[in-house]
Amino acid sequence: MVSRADYQRLPGHGSAELDATGTVRVVPHDPLPPDPFAGDPEDPSMALGDQEFEQDQQLGDEERAELLSDLADLAVYQALLEPRGIRGIVVDCSDCGEPHYHDWELLRSSLEQLLNDGRMRPHEPAYEPNPGHYVSWEYCRGFADGVIETEDQRSR
């Protein structure tokens, strides 16, 4: 068993809370692990050539507003659909033609990273996702609109 002091010294875990038995109660959310080769002149990916994206890409005001709106919508969609067994959103990829399944937290992390960094890094796809547990963004929007309309009718 790891002691509270040992756990607190682990990278990225300084703000985690442990109960008296040493069980983690709150784990901080870090969207991506640190790059193990950051700043290493012997980085093996250097053999692939200079494929670095521009650092600190700036989003326009309109793009930033759209991302903030998407994040707000995502929170609503998750609140409405997660209790019904929906695990996230499916997106049809225009590059590969395959559906990509994003759990709520993965999509939130990706949107936040786009908002903060101006780009999204690649991520691991869902492992053997059940397509019945994912819906499209359009489905989420329609479901939320239906809930709002129903509530409006009830309040009249």
Side-chain angles (χ1 to χ4, degrees), residues 78 81-89 104 132-135 139-140:
Q78 182 178 4
L81 293 166
E82 190 173 45
R84 291 171 169 81
I86 302 299
R87 295 191 57 194
I89 293 180
W104 300 114
H133 291 161
Y134 297 84
V135 294
Y139 178 93
C140 292

Side-chain angles (χ1 to χ4, degrees), residues 57-130:
Q57 292 178 343
Q58 298 296 317
L59 295 176
D61 290 339
E62 187 175 319
E63 292 171 311
R64 188 170 190 73
E66 286 177 19
L67 279 171
L68 290 169
S69 176
D70 287 347
L71 282 165
D73 289 345
L74 183 64
V76 170
Y77 302 158
Q78 182 178 4
L80 291 173
L81 293 166
E82 190 173 45
R84 291 171 169 81
I86 302 299
R87 295 191 57 194
I89 293 180
V90 60
V91 177
D92 291 323
C93 179
S94 59
D95 292 335
C96 71
E98 296 288 323
H100 291 235
Y101 299 91
H102 301 275
D103 287 345
W104 300 114
E105 295 305 320
L106 175 63
L107 186 53
R108 179 174 294 101
S109 292
S110 294
L111 291 174
E112 287 172 349
Q113 184 177 41
L114 184 57
L115 185 65
N116 295 327
D117 299 344
R119 65 184 172 101
M120 286 189 277
R121 289 186 231 160
H123 60 270
E124 289 293 321
Y127 179 73
E128 294 184 10
N130 178 342

Side-chain angles (χ1 to χ4, degrees), residues 14-65:
S15 61
E17 294 179 25
L18 300 175
D19 64 16
T21 65
T23 303
V24 177
R25 293 186 336 189
V26 177
V27 177
H29 174 70
D30 294 324
L32 293 173
D35 180 358
F37 295 103
D40 183 352
E42 300 297 319
D43 183 345
S45 69
M46 298 300 272
L48 299 173
D50 187 16
Q51 298 180 2
E52 273 298 311
F53 293 97
E54 288 183 34
Q55 294 295 322
D56 301 321
Q57 292 178 343
Q58 298 296 317
L59 295 176
D61 290 339
E62 187 175 319
E63 292 171 311
R64 188 170 190 73

